[in-house]
Amino acid sequence: MATMQDVADRAGVSAKTVSRVFNDDPHVLPETRERVSEAMRTLNYVPNVLARTFRAGRSSSVGVAVPDVVDPFFAAVVRAVERVCSASGITTLVTSIGDDPAREKPVLEALLRTQLMGLVLAPVAADHAWLAPWTEHTPIEFVDRAPIDLDADSFVEDDRHGSYLATRHLLEHGHTRVAFLADQTHPPSSRRRLAGYTEALADAGLPLDERLIAFDAGSDDGAARELERLRRLTDAPTAAFSSNARVTMHAFSALKRAGTAFVGFGDFPMADRLTPSVSVIDQDPARLGRLAATRALERFNAPKARYEASTVVPVGLTVRRSCGCP
Amino acid sequence: MATMQDVADRAGVSAKTVSRVFNDDPHVLPETRERVSEAMRTLNYVPNVLARTFRAGRSSSVGVAVPDVVDPFFAAVVRAVERVCSASGITTLVTSIGDDPAREKPVLEALLRTQLMGLVLAPVAADHAWLAPWTEHTPIEFVDRAPIDLDADSFVEDDRHGSYLATRHLLEHGHTRVAFLADQTHPPSSRRRLAGYTEALADAGLPLDERLIAFDAGSDDGAARELERLRRLTDAPTAAFSSNARVTMHAFSALKRAGTAFVGFGDFPMADRLTPSVSVIDQDPARLGRLAATRALERFNAPKARYEASTVVPVGLTVRRSCGCP
DNA sequence: TTGTAGGCGTTATCAA
DNA sequence: TTGATAACGCCTACAA
């Protein structure tokens, strides 16, 4: 690999001049510039990014850490961040944290050590206090899930309102017994979604029946078990609100079998092609990613400016068939 | 940010000793080690990864470039690479190339400039000759699609045999008119899949009818148009082989509407929940990613060893309902 | 316009 | 066992 010095030797100039040519510094005679360019070409000179980065004290990349890139929701976040960054010539360092909260800290530390320009994070752990020292050097933007015990930007969907919409829609179809399906992942969102559900019930003058809440619907088996339990209730539910896409996908077959009307929080691929097609609360993960990445770069460029810490993105109801609509 | 020198000063030793402690060099007295560790703790020392990387002349990351992280197939590849790498403390640099072949070169160059340990690549462009100089410094592993005009490792599915299996299965159901559905992406795989299809027809003593080949089924509209065209043929097809998951997903509704029996190349989320559930040729993207990442690291560690250049991973037929099986 | 000196943080080399 | 020195490739500050 040719270095600046190699090019300089060949062109009969100093390394600094090569540097100038490379960085389009105007203080170079056209003739010199040409000689240097020539040398760069013949030697196939490629600047050493590592050296530049080191010198600059900052890498030119943004990190993205999500629970799982295979989840379409997070994949969309990742792609949005990539888009924003690549437009500025910034590379993206993607990591899947996985389901285990204990892995989060080591994974993020490894990322942050690389002197990122910023980090877009959809966390799985429930405590982010330890990130505080890092926020002084690196803008950290939370997406989908707000930080816990940490002062940082967050970009989240309107969980409460989405759940409210979904539940109300089912109630408007005449259902009075609506189950709430969830899994154990990220309690804060879950809690907000439960709150929207409860609120819709209350507005309809309906009581909250704890037995209608299923917290183990995150797998095919779990969903089947929970739905079987619900079916056996004396006053069995006739409708269900699934509080996230993962649950909706796993519970789909069981819901269909039981003939239960349902709405899910979060769209997913082929939801509109299933029979019945699935009515969903429509999130916009790309928007979350875009906003977060943009903010990260803004903060990087103007660390002292003041920003809105918490951004709540509205969600809407996409009506298809599973809710009972014709 | 504390540097080694800061730690050294505080512990009353030289920077090199701190380095030794940090890197678990045995040639340090336990007592010295303790003093240094103490200083590291109080100063909250974090090694400068940029400096280390620069010094080493190599980043400790592996690149992954795929057409689109949102595509579940490539997402699975990405995650597999991540898994392999993180097990060795190596970070992963993920990039979506997008659909535009022209973007491929600049995107990859940006990646390669960062002195990657290796690159796992699922290309969209049809010429890789320009990568030749890079392969001397960086192992480049092709997945899903083989390199064109370049000598590099490749890990691909058995396209031909998979298509053969799918087509034969449909023929065994008694169909004699089987359409071939494709889009324009990556011709080499497409061509091999077409070959398998043709071969199955030939083995059944059936002629290849060019009119049954649809090359524009990569979108909902395109698929609908193509199927309409096929429907109007005097001798319309009663079955179809979709040559990739993207096409299968887009064509699903139209195929269902037409009552056509079909098998798709490549599984996708919810394929088993659709009505009819979709019979597919089952690929194993995670395996491709795992193999490629492993090879990249092997080559990095032993650049001179000899390896099998081309690996073809077998595929199988997952029978569900769309093929007409009861 | 061009060049020289110096340093970013770490580690290899070699000497003590 | 420990330390001084130099070097990785580039760029900023300053000098010529």
Side-chain angles (χ1 to χ4, degrees), chain A residues 132-176:
Chain A
W134 288 104
T135 59
E136 288 162 33
H137 303 281
T138 313
I140 301 184
E141 312 296 328
F142 283 71
V143 285
D144 186 46
R145 306 166 190 188
I148 298 171
D149 290 330
L150 180 75
D151 186 25
D153 295 332
S154 70
F155 300 86
V156 299
E157 318 82 17
D158 193 342
D159 290 313
R160 210 203 46 66
H161 188 60
S163 303
Y164 182 88
L165 285 178
T167 310
R168 193 181 62 185
H169 186 74
L170 289 167
L171 295 173
E172 284 168 356
H173 274 291
H175 298 283
T176 54

Short mmCIF file of all heavy atoms in Angstrom, two decimals, chain A residues 132-176:
data_model
loop_
_atom_site.label_atom_id
_atom_site.label_comp_id
_atom_site.label_asym_id
_atom_site.label_seq_id
_atom_site.Cartn_x
_atom_site.Cartn_y
_atom_site.Cartn_z
N ALA A 132 -24.08 7.17 31.04
CA ALA A 132 -23.91 8.60 31.29
C ALA A 132 -22.53 9.15 30.90
O ALA A 132 -22.45 10.15 30.17
CB ALA A 132 -24.23 8.92 32.75
N PRO A 133 -21.43 8.51 31.33
CA PRO A 133 -20.12 9.07 30.95
C PRO A 133 -19.94 9.14 29.44
O PRO A 133 -19.32 10.07 28.93
CB PRO A 133 -19.12 8.08 31.55
CG PRO A 133 -19.88 7.28 32.55
CD PRO A 133 -21.32 7.31 32.16
N TRP A 134 -20.49 8.17 28.74
CA TRP A 134 -20.31 8.13 27.29
C TRP A 134 -21.05 9.27 26.59
O TRP A 134 -20.61 9.74 25.53
CB TRP A 134 -20.81 6.80 26.73
CG TRP A 134 -19.94 5.64 27.06
CD1 TRP A 134 -20.18 4.69 28.00
CD2 TRP A 134 -18.66 5.31 26.48
NE1 TRP A 134 -19.15 3.77 28.03
CE2 TRP A 134 -18.21 4.14 27.10
CE3 TRP A 134 -17.89 5.90 25.47
CZ2 TRP A 134 -17.00 3.52 26.78
CZ3 TRP A 134 -16.69 5.29 25.14
CH2 TRP A 134 -16.24 4.12 25.79
N THR A 135 -22.17 9.67 27.17
CA THR A 135 -22.96 10.71 26.49
C THR A 135 -22.20 12.03 26.39
O THR A 135 -22.55 12.89 25.59
CB THR A 135 -24.30 10.97 27.21
OG1 THR A 135 -24.03 11.38 28.55
CG2 THR A 135 -25.17 9.72 27.22
N GLU A 136 -21.17 12.18 27.21
CA GLU A 136 -20.40 13.42 27.12
C GLU A 136 -19.57 13.48 25.85
O GLU A 136 -19.25 14.54 25.34
CB GLU A 136 -19.48 13.56 28.34
CG GLU A 136 -20.26 13.88 29.60
CD GLU A 136 -19.43 13.58 30.84
OE1 GLU A 136 -18.20 13.76 30.77
OE2 GLU A 136 -20.03 13.13 31.84
N HIS A 137 -19.19 12.30 25.37
CA HIS A 137 -18.36 12.26 24.17
C HIS A 137 -19.16 11.93 22.91
O HIS A 137 -18.76 12.29 21.82
CB HIS A 137 -17.26 11.20 24.33
CG HIS A 137 -16.41 11.43 25.52
ND1 HIS A 137 -15.40 12.37 25.53
CD2 HIS A 137 -16.41 10.88 26.75
CE1 HIS A 137 -14.83 12.37 26.72
NE2 HIS A 137 -15.41 11.47 27.47
N THR A 138 -20.23 11.21 23.10
CA THR A 138 -20.95 10.66 21.96
C THR A 138 -22.46 10.85 22.10
O THR A 138 -23.02 10.44 23.11
CB THR A 138 -20.67 9.13 21.87
OG1 THR A 138 -19.27 8.91 22.00
CG2 THR A 138 -21.15 8.57 20.55
N PRO A 139 -23.08 11.48 21.11
CA PRO A 139 -24.54 11.60 21.18
C PRO A 139 -25.18 10.22 21.11
O PRO A 139 -24.83 9.43 20.22
CB PRO A 139 -24.90 12.40 19.92
CG PRO A 139 -23.63 12.90 19.36
CD PRO A 139 -22.51 12.09 19.92
N ILE A 140 -26.05 9.92 22.04
CA ILE A 140 -26.74 8.64 22.03
C ILE A 140 -28.23 8.90 21.84
O ILE A 140 -28.83 9.66 22.61
CB ILE A 140 -26.49 7.86 23.33
CG1 ILE A 140 -24.97 7.63 23.49
CG2 ILE A 140 -27.24 6.53 23.32
CD1 ILE A 140 -24.59 6.78 24.68
N GLU A 141 -28.78 8.30 20.80
CA GLU A 141 -30.19 8.52 20.46
C GLU A 141 -30.97 7.23 20.63
O GLU A 141 -30.71 6.25 19.95
CB GLU A 141 -30.30 8.99 19.00
CG GLU A 141 -29.35 10.11 18.60
CD GLU A 141 -29.61 11.39 19.38
OE1 GLU A 141 -30.78 11.63 19.72
OE2 GLU A 141 -28.65 12.14 19.64
N PHE A 142 -31.94 7.26 21.50
CA PHE A 142 -32.77 6.08 21.73
C PHE A 142 -33.93 6.04 20.74
O PHE A 142 -34.59 7.05 20.54
CB PHE A 142 -33.32 6.07 23.15
CG PHE A 142 -32.30 5.67 24.19
CD1 PHE A 142 -31.26 6.52 24.52
CD2 PHE A 142 -32.38 4.45 24.82
CE1 PHE A 142 -30.31 6.15 25.47
CE2 PHE A 142 -31.44 4.06 25.77
CZ PHE A 142 -30.40 4.91 26.09
N VAL A 143 -34.13 4.89 20.15
CA VAL A 143 -35.30 4.73 19.28
C VAL A 143 -36.18 3.59 19.79
O VAL A 143 -35.68 2.62 20.34
CB VAL A 143 -34.93 4.42 17.81
CG1 VAL A 143 -34.42 5.65 17.10
CG2 VAL A 143 -33.93 3.29 17.73
N ASP A 144 -37.46 3.75 19.58
CA ASP A 144 -38.45 2.73 19.93
C ASP A 144 -38.65 2.59 21.44
O ASP A 144 -39.76 2.37 21.89
CB ASP A 144 -38.09 1.38 19.31
CG ASP A 144 -39.18 0.35 19.53
OD1 ASP A 144 -40.35 0.70 19.32
OD2 ASP A 144 -38.86 -0.79 19.93
N ARG A 145 -37.56 2.72 22.16
CA ARG A 145 -37.65 2.57 23.61
C ARG A 145 -36.88 3.70 24.28
O ARG A 145 -35.75 3.97 23.93
CB ARG A 145 -37.06 1.24 24.04
CG ARG A 145 -37.71 0.10 23.28
CD ARG A 145 -36.97 -1.18 23.39
NE ARG A 145 -37.54 -2.15 22.45
CZ ARG A 145 -37.21 -3.43 22.42
NH1 ARG A 145 -36.30 -3.89 23.26
NH2 ARG A 145 -37.76 -4.23 21.54
N ALA A 146 -37.52 4.34 25.24
CA ALA A 146 -36.89 5.47 25.89
C ALA A 146 -35.82 5.03 26.88
O ALA A 146 -35.85 3.90 27.36
CB ALA A 146 -37.95 6.31 26.60
N PRO A 147 -34.86 5.90 27.15
CA PRO A 147 -33.80 5.55 28.11
C PRO A 147 -34.35 5.48 29.53
O PRO A 147 -35.32 6.15 29.85
CB PRO A 147 -32.82 6.71 27.98
CG PRO A 147 -33.64 7.85 27.48
CD PRO A 147 -34.69 7.24 26.59
N ILE A 148 -33.73 4.66 30.32
CA ILE A 148 -34.14 4.51 31.71
C ILE A 148 -33.00 4.97 32.61
O ILE A 148 -31.87 4.49 32.49
CB ILE A 148 -34.50 3.04 32.01
CG1 ILE A 148 -35.68 2.62 31.12
CG2 ILE A 148 -34.84 2.85 33.48
CD1 ILE A 148 -35.99 1.14 31.16
N ASP A 149 -33.28 5.94 33.46
CA ASP A 149 -32.25 6.51 34.35
C ASP A 149 -31.11 7.14 33.57
O ASP A 149 -29.94 7.02 33.97
CB ASP A 149 -31.69 5.45 35.29
CG ASP A 149 -32.71 5.03 36.33
OD1 ASP A 149 -33.55 5.88 36.68
OD2 ASP A 149 -32.67 3.88 36.76
N LEU A 150 -31.45 7.76 32.46
CA LEU A 150 -30.41 8.42 31.68
C LEU A 150 -31.04 9.57 30.93
O LEU A 150 -32.18 9.48 30.47
CB LEU A 150 -29.78 7.44 30.68
CG LEU A 150 -28.69 8.02 29.79
CD1 LEU A 150 -27.41 8.20 30.60
CD2 LEU A 150 -28.44 7.12 28.59
N ASP A 151 -30.28 10.64 30.82
CA ASP A 151 -30.77 11.81 30.12
C ASP A 151 -30.29 11.73 28.68
O ASP A 151 -29.12 11.96 28.39
CB ASP A 151 -30.21 13.05 30.82
CG ASP A 151 -30.78 14.32 30.24
OD1 ASP A 151 -31.90 14.26 29.69
OD2 ASP A 151 -30.12 15.37 30.34
N ALA A 152 -31.17 11.35 27.77
CA ALA A 152 -30.78 11.24 26.36
C ALA A 152 -32.01 11.40 25.47
O ALA A 152 -33.14 11.24 25.93
CB ALA A 152 -30.12 9.88 26.11
N ASP A 153 -31.75 11.72 24.21
CA ASP A 153 -32.86 11.87 23.26
C ASP A 153 -33.59 10.56 23.08
O ASP A 153 -32.98 9.50 23.09
CB ASP A 153 -32.33 12.29 21.88
CG ASP A 153 -31.70 13.66 21.92
OD1 ASP A 153 -32.10 14.48 22.78
OD2 ASP A 153 -30.82 13.92 21.08
N SER A 154 -34.88 10.65 22.85
CA SER A 154 -35.60 9.43 22.48
C SER A 154 -36.61 9.71 21.39
O SER A 154 -37.19 10.79 21.30
CB SER A 154 -36.30 8.83 23.70
OG SER A 154 -37.37 9.66 24.11
N PHE A 155 -36.78 8.73 20.54
CA PHE A 155 -37.73 8.81 19.44
C PHE A 155 -38.59 7.55 19.51
O PHE A 155 -38.13 6.46 19.19
CB PHE A 155 -36.99 8.88 18.11
CG PHE A 155 -36.10 10.08 18.01
CD1 PHE A 155 -34.80 10.04 18.49
CD2 PHE A 155 -36.57 11.27 17.46
CE1 PHE A 155 -33.97 11.15 18.42
CE2 PHE A 155 -35.75 12.39 17.39
CZ PHE A 155 -34.45 12.34 17.88
N VAL A 156 -39.81 7.71 19.96
CA VAL A 156 -40.67 6.54 20.14
C VAL A 156 -42.03 6.76 19.49
O VAL A 156 -42.43 7.90 19.24
CB VAL A 156 -40.87 6.23 21.64
CG1 VAL A 156 -39.54 5.91 22.32
CG2 VAL A 156 -41.55 7.41 22.33
N GLU A 157 -42.71 5.66 19.22
CA GLU A 157 -44.07 5.75 18.69
C GLU A 157 -45.01 6.14 19.83
O GLU A 157 -44.69 5.95 20.99
CB GLU A 157 -44.55 4.40 18.16
CG GLU A 157 -43.55 3.62 17.37
CD GLU A 157 -42.60 2.84 18.26
OE1 GLU A 157 -42.88 2.66 19.45
OE2 GLU A 157 -41.54 2.46 17.75
N ASP A 158 -46.17 6.56 19.45
CA ASP A 158 -47.16 6.88 20.46
C ASP A 158 -47.87 5.59 20.88
O ASP A 158 -48.95 5.27 20.42
CB ASP A 158 -48.16 7.90 19.92
CG ASP A 158 -49.00 8.50 21.03
OD1 ASP A 158 -49.05 7.89 22.12
OD2 ASP A 158 -49.61 9.55 20.81
N ASP A 159 -47.22 4.87 21.79
CA ASP A 159 -47.72 3.57 22.22
C ASP A 159 -49.13 3.65 22.78
O ASP A 159 -50.00 2.86 22.43
CB ASP A 159 -46.81 3.01 23.34
CG ASP A 159 -45.47 2.59 22.82
OD1 ASP A 159 -45.42 1.91 21.79
OD2 ASP A 159 -44.45 2.96 23.43
N ARG A 160 -49.30 4.61 23.66
CA ARG A 160 -50.57 4.69 24.36
C ARG A 160 -51.72 4.94 23.39
O ARG A 160 -52.72 4.23 23.37
CB ARG A 160 -50.51 5.80 25.42
CG ARG A 160 -51.37 5.56 26.64
CD ARG A 160 -51.70 6.85 27.35
NE ARG A 160 -52.12 7.93 26.47
CZ ARG A 160 -53.23 7.94 25.75
NH1 ARG A 160 -54.05 6.92 25.77
NH2 ARG A 160 -53.52 8.97 24.97
N HIS A 161 -51.51 5.93 22.55
CA HIS A 161 -52.58 6.29 21.64
C HIS A 161 -52.86 5.18 20.62
O HIS A 161 -54.01 4.93 20.28
CB HIS A 161 -52.26 7.60 20.92
CG HIS A 161 -53.41 8.11 20.11
ND1 HIS A 161 -54.63 8.45 20.67
CD2 HIS A 161 -53.55 8.30 18.77
CE1 HIS A 161 -55.46 8.84 19.72
NE2 HIS A 161 -54.83 8.76 18.56
N GLY A 162 -51.82 4.55 20.15
CA GLY A 162 -52.00 3.45 19.21
C GLY A 162 -52.86 2.34 19.81
O GLY A 162 -53.79 1.85 19.18
N SER A 163 -52.54 1.99 21.02
CA SER A 163 -53.30 0.93 21.69
C SER A 163 -54.73 1.37 21.91
O SER A 163 -55.67 0.58 21.79
CB SER A 163 -52.68 0.61 23.05
OG SER A 163 -51.34 0.25 22.87
N TYR A 164 -54.86 2.63 22.23
CA TYR A 164 -56.20 3.18 22.46
C TYR A 164 -57.03 3.03 21.18
O TYR A 164 -58.15 2.54 21.19
CB TYR A 164 -56.10 4.65 22.87
CG TYR A 164 -57.43 5.28 23.16
CD1 TYR A 164 -57.98 5.21 24.44
CD2 TYR A 164 -58.15 5.93 22.17
CE1 TYR A 164 -59.21 5.78 24.72
CE2 TYR A 164 -59.39 6.50 22.43
CZ TYR A 164 -59.91 6.42 23.71
OH TYR A 164 -61.14 6.97 23.98
N LEU A 165 -56.43 3.44 20.06
CA LEU A 165 -57.12 3.35 18.76
C LEU A 165 -57.54 1.92 18.44
O LEU A 165 -58.68 1.67 18.04
CB LEU A 165 -56.20 3.85 17.64
CG LEU A 165 -55.98 5.34 17.51
CD1 LEU A 165 -55.00 5.60 16.38
CD2 LEU A 165 -57.30 6.04 17.25
N ALA A 166 -56.59 1.02 18.62
CA ALA A 166 -56.86 -0.38 18.27
C ALA A 166 -57.98 -0.94 19.12
O ALA A 166 -58.92 -1.56 18.62
CB ALA A 166 -55.59 -1.20 18.47
N THR A 167 -57.88 -0.70 20.42
CA THR A 167 -58.87 -1.25 21.33
C THR A 167 -60.24 -0.63 21.07
O THR A 167 -61.26 -1.32 21.00
CB THR A 167 -58.45 -0.99 22.79
OG1 THR A 167 -57.10 -1.41 22.97
CG2 THR A 167 -59.34 -1.75 23.76
N ARG A 168 -60.25 0.68 20.90
CA ARG A 168 -61.53 1.35 20.65
C ARG A 168 -62.18 0.80 19.38
O ARG A 168 -63.38 0.57 19.33
CB ARG A 168 -61.30 2.86 20.51
CG ARG A 168 -62.61 3.63 20.57
CD ARG A 168 -62.41 5.11 20.41
NE ARG A 168 -61.83 5.43 19.10
CZ ARG A 168 -61.46 6.66 18.75
NH1 ARG A 168 -61.56 7.67 19.60
NH2 ARG A 168 -60.95 6.87 17.54
N HIS A 169 -61.34 0.57 18.37
CA HIS A 169 -61.89 0.04 17.12
C HIS A 169 -62.58 -1.30 17.35
O HIS A 169 -63.68 -1.54 16.82
CB HIS A 169 -60.77 -0.11 16.08
CG HIS A 169 -61.27 -0.52 14.73
ND1 HIS A 169 -61.94 0.35 13.90
CD2 HIS A 169 -61.23 -1.70 14.07
CE1 HIS A 169 -62.28 -0.28 12.78
NE2 HIS A 169 -61.85 -1.53 12.86
N LEU A 170 -61.96 -2.14 18.14
CA LEU A 170 -62.57 -3.44 18.43
C LEU A 170 -63.87 -3.27 19.22
O LEU A 170 -64.88 -3.95 18.97
CB LEU A 170 -61.59 -4.34 19.19
CG LEU A 170 -60.41 -4.86 18.35
CD1 LEU A 170 -59.34 -5.46 19.24
CD2 LEU A 170 -60.90 -5.88 17.32
N LEU A 171 -63.83 -2.34 20.15
CA LEU A 171 -65.04 -2.09 20.96
C LEU A 171 -66.17 -1.58 20.09
O LEU A 171 -67.34 -1.93 20.27
CB LEU A 171 -64.72 -1.09 22.08
CG LEU A 171 -63.71 -1.56 23.13
CD1 LEU A 171 -63.34 -0.43 24.08
CD2 LEU A 171 -64.25 -2.77 23.89
N GLU A 172 -65.80 -0.78 19.13
CA GLU A 172 -66.83 -0.23 18.23
C GLU A 172 -67.49 -1.31 17.38
O GLU A 172 -68.57 -1.11 16.82
CB GLU A 172 -66.21 0.85 17.32
CG GLU A 172 -65.99 2.16 18.06
CD GLU A 172 -65.13 3.14 17.27
OE1 GLU A 172 -64.65 2.78 16.18
OE2 GLU A 172 -64.95 4.28 17.75
N HIS A 173 -66.80 -2.41 17.26
CA HIS A 173 -67.41 -3.54 16.55
C HIS A 173 -68.38 -4.30 17.45
O HIS A 173 -68.89 -5.34 17.06
CB HIS A 173 -66.32 -4.51 16.06
CG HIS A 173 -65.74 -4.13 14.73
ND1 HIS A 173 -66.45 -4.21 13.55
CD2 HIS A 173 -64.52 -3.65 14.38
CE1 HIS A 173 -65.68 -3.80 12.54
NE2 HIS A 173 -64.52 -3.46 13.02
N GLY A 174 -68.52 -3.82 18.65
CA GLY A 174 -69.49 -4.45 19.55
C GLY A 174 -68.89 -5.44 20.54
O GLY A 174 -69.60 -6.02 21.36
N HIS A 175 -67.59 -5.63 20.46
CA HIS A 175 -66.97 -6.55 21.41
C HIS A 175 -66.92 -5.91 22.79
O HIS A 175 -66.68 -4.71 22.92
CB HIS A 175 -65.55 -6.91 20.98
CG HIS A 175 -65.51 -7.61 19.66
ND1 HIS A 175 -65.85 -8.93 19.50
CD2 HIS A 175 -65.22 -7.15 18.42
CE1 HIS A 175 -65.74 -9.26 18.21
NE2 HIS A 175 -65.36 -8.20 17.53
N THR A 176 -67.14 -6.72 23.79
CA THR A 176 -67.05 -6.18 25.15
C THR A 176 -65.98 -6.92 25.95
O THR A 176 -65.58 -6.49 27.01
CB THR A 176 -68.39 -6.33 25.90
OG1 THR A 176 -68.79 -7.71 25.83
CG2 THR A 176 -69.46 -5.46 25.24
#
